[in-house]
Amino acid sequence: MKYYSSRNRNISVSFGDAVALGLAPDGGLFWPEQIPSCKIPVADLNHLERTERISRLLFPFVEESFSFSKFSQIIEKVFSFPLERVKLDERLSIVELFHGPTLAFKDFGARFLAQTLAELPQAKQRQCVILVATSGDTGSAVAHAFSEIPGIKTVILYPSGKVSPIQELQLTTFEGSIQALEVQGTFDDCQALVKQAFQDTVLTSQFFLSSANSINIARLLPQSVYYMETAMQQSANGNETVFITPSGNLGNLTAGLLGRAILKADWQFVAALNRNNVFQEFLETAMFQPRASVETYSNAMDVGNPSNLERIRTLFPAEGHAAIPVAAHSCNDEETLLAIQELYSKFQYLADPHTAVAYQAYKAASKKIGDKQYHILSTAHPVKFDSVIQKALGITPEVPDRLKDILLRQKKSIVLKPDYHIFKETLLQVVGN
Ligand SMILES: *Cc1c(COP(=O)(O)O)cnc(C)c1O
């Protein structure tokens, strides 16, 4: 299986190179040349143990790089936490993707990237350094995933005072190979420093630098799994599956479309958006007009130029936008608060703001689509967005046990000005010893 660039079919690389490069040399996104459909009947897959089942579903994507037994070991480490499905009524359930170590669905992608990258020869020739700029969730998922891998050093840049207190503790309380840099500036300053480092030949000749970026194909592949697992669990009751995916950069939605192709299923999708709704415009008008993002309560979806649209278009090349089995619905902050309130009063379900946006999309879409099995993907634990929950309900979500320990630890960070020379010197000190 080779991967090509979404901008040029003639650029074609192995899985290992696609992961090591992150982005294609022409700026495109890597995508598999064919999607290997699963030959095993769903009933038989259901009888397999989880690691075996997931390994078989994904192995065709990586078989040039790993033996099946090595890949199964990787899968066992990546999927070390459960999916939970909460049934709200006869036709609606919530699939909780946040039972991983950092309480966000980004754990799936970050862990798969870390475990596969660690095994690739590309990352073994020089000291491997992960450089990640974060506004919150991504940094903690990536840092946690790489903290389990000996030999790799991770440096996280975050904007001082601009992440929530829990998020800051999640970024700054690691031991050993993870170093947090607290930049006295904005998220954009952090990102600019990381970008400049990647163009610095002094650094790139000495180290294998990777950004663990969300467009890396290794972050996307494992996300197809929870769609397939959810649909397979309920295939006995008919196949009328609709997934509602809280969407920003459209990685999660693209992974759902990939899972649909692997199983040759006929699921439908609803992309749930906040006021950053260029993707809805695209579906309705075939015009794609990226713009600057606006801030909302569901801030992990504040994306004005969703990069994975390139992959979605690659999946449906001939048919055009009308063939994409996705509807979209968007809502504003006030409606997000109302959804949190309604989920709590009607179902006693405490949802984070991204899940709440998906509930509004469910209500709108189900009026048109009718009687089906609806699954809302819940992308984060409510405690990560406790100030929005406080606004909606006047209560503070309880901190889950596995996070309580972090609250007792001491924050450790190096504070620096957003200046490239200071950053580079600090970086060389941190990764040099
Ligand atoms: C990243 C994120 C999203 C958006 O996912 P995309 O793959 O970028 O569409 C939604 N919800 C939460 C909580 C996230 O962290």
Side-chain angles (χ1 to χ4, degrees):
M1 165 79 69
K2 290 274 191 264
Y3 292 79
Y4 67 93
S5 163
S6 56
R7 297 189 188 167
N8 182 354
R9 281 235 168 211
N10 297 320
I11 296 180
S12 164
V13 303
S14 68
F15 173 75
D17 284 334
V19 174
L21 286 166
L23 201 65
D26 63 350
L29 277 61
F30 286 117
W31 189 247
E33 286 189 334
Q34 330 89 31
I35 294 175
S37 59
C38 181
K39 307 277 184 313
I40 312 167
V42 166
D44 295 348
L45 280 170
N46 269 334
H47 283 122
L48 297 175
E49 170 270 326
R50 190 175 182 219
T51 300
E52 173 83 13
R53 178 170 59 236
I54 299 173
S55 305
R56 291 212 190 185
L57 287 166
L58 294 186
F59 186 61
F61 290 95
V62 301
E63 61 189 349
E64 282 184 3
S65 300
F66 305 109
S67 68
F68 186 76
S69 69
K70 179 79 227 173
F71 188 58
S72 300
Q73 287 167 16
I74 291 176
I75 291 297
E76 183 146 20
K77 288 187 200 145
V78 173
F79 292 86
S80 57
F81 52 91
L83 269 189
E84 307 268 349
R85 193 151 69 88
V86 180
K87 212 170 160 191
L88 295 190
D89 63 25
E90 275 316 303
R91 65 175 196 180
L92 176 62
S93 69
I94 299 207
V95 184
E96 296 181 344
L97 307 178
F98 55 72
H99 295 286
T102 74
L103 308 184
F105 87 105
K106 290 193 167 68
D107 283 325
F108 286 98
R111 291 171 75 77
F112 188 81
L113 173 64
Q115 295 293 339
T116 51
L117 189 65
E119 297 296 334
L120 295 173
Q122 287 90 337
K124 286 185 173 158
Q125 287 150 6
R126 283 165 286 157
Q127 170 68 51
C128 180
V129 177
I130 309 296
L131 270 186
V132 46
T134 187
S135 53
D137 272 3
T138 302
S140 52
V142 168
H144 196 287
F146 281 95
S147 73
E148 294 177 359
I149 297 179
I152 293 186
K153 300 201 171 166
T154 305
V155 178
I156 317 165
L157 290 80
Y158 73 96
S160 184
K162 296 201 170 64
V163 301
S164 78
I166 282 198
Q167 280 178 330
E168 182 164 41
L169 285 172
Q170 284 187 305
L171 295 171
T172 57
T173 56
F174 287 100
E175 307 287 329
S177 62
I178 315 280
Q179 178 66 56
L181 303 183
E182 184 174 348
V183 177
Q184 294 172 314
T186 61
F187 170 64
D188 290 338
D189 292 326
C190 297
Q191 215 164 21
L193 292 174
V194 169
K195 278 203 178 133
Q196 202 170 339
F198 277 91
Q199 284 155 9
D200 187 327
T201 48
V202 173
L203 294 176
T204 54
S205 60
Q206 198 175 344
F207 303 106
F208 174 82
L209 290 185
S210 168
S211 73
N213 200 294
S214 74
I215 47 82
N216 197 303
I217 189 70
R219 287 203 31 197
L220 201 134
L221 286 177
Q223 295 182 43
S224 63
V225 167
Y226 43 73
Y227 289 93
M228 295 191 275
E229 291 206 294
T230 301
M232 283 190 287
Q233 278 169 12
Q234 55 120 58
S235 62
N237 339 330
N239 248 333
E240 307 270 279
T241 302
V242 182
F243 287 106
I244 299 135
T245 306
S247 295
N249 218 5
L250 302 176
N252 203 358
L253 181 71
T254 307
L257 292 165
L258 181 66
R260 180 181 189 266
I262 296 171
L263 291 186
K264 289 191 180 322
D266 58 1
W267 317 327
Q268 286 173 268
F269 293 84
V270 180
L273 308 167
N274 60 30
R275 286 205 299 123
N276 297 283
N277 61 355
V278 292
F279 181 55
Q280 183 178 7
E281 258 173 41
F282 166 75
L283 290 175
E284 288 167 4
T285 66
M287 302 269 276
F288 179 53
Q289 286 177 314
R291 32 181 127 81
S293 63
V294 295
E295 270 184 48
T296 74
Y297 290 157
S298 46
N299 59 21
M301 312 200 296
D302 294 351
V303 179
N305 185 5
S307 40
N308 279 293
L309 184 56
E310 258 184 77
R311 286 189 169 124
I312 295 178
R313 289 171 125 165
T314 306
L315 251 175
F316 301 93
E319 304 98 318
H321 83 292
I324 302 174
V326 183
H329 183 79
S330 64
C331 75
N332 61 28
D333 277 348
E334 202 178 314
E335 291 162 320
T336 306
L337 295 183
L338 286 172
I340 293 174
Q341 289 160 358
E342 184 170 323
L343 279 164
Y344 196 64
S345 61
K346 200 164 162 189
F347 304 107
Q348 294 75 56
Y349 190 84
L350 189 59
D352 96 290
H354 306 79
T355 310
V357 168
Y359 181 65
Q360 289 291 14
Y362 156 73
K363 289 211 301 179
S366 59
K367 282 193 197 120
K368 290 182 205 150
I369 304 175
D371 200 20
K372 306 258 180 185
Q373 286 297 318
Y374 292 88
H375 303 281
I376 289 179
L377 299 187
S378 178
T379 46
H381 190 289
V383 80
K384 297 198 95 171
F385 300 91
D386 52 0
S387 65
V388 183
I389 304 295
Q390 182 69 38
K391 238 181 223 108
L393 300 172
I395 59 170
T396 307
E398 205 189 321
V399 178
D401 282 344
R402 63 191 187 289
L403 219 72
K404 279 191 177 137
D405 159 56
I406 231 176
L407 301 177
L408 304 170
R409 289 195 220 157
Q410 277 297 323
K411 163 184 160 181
K412 270 190 316 195
S413 69
I414 299 176
V415 181
L416 47 93
K417 295 207 163 60
D419 172 276
Y420 185 69
H421 293 286
I422 298 176
F423 165 62
K424 184 174 170 181
E425 238 163 68
T426 312
L427 183 65
L428 284 169
Q429 267 168 25
V430 168
V431 297
N433 55 45

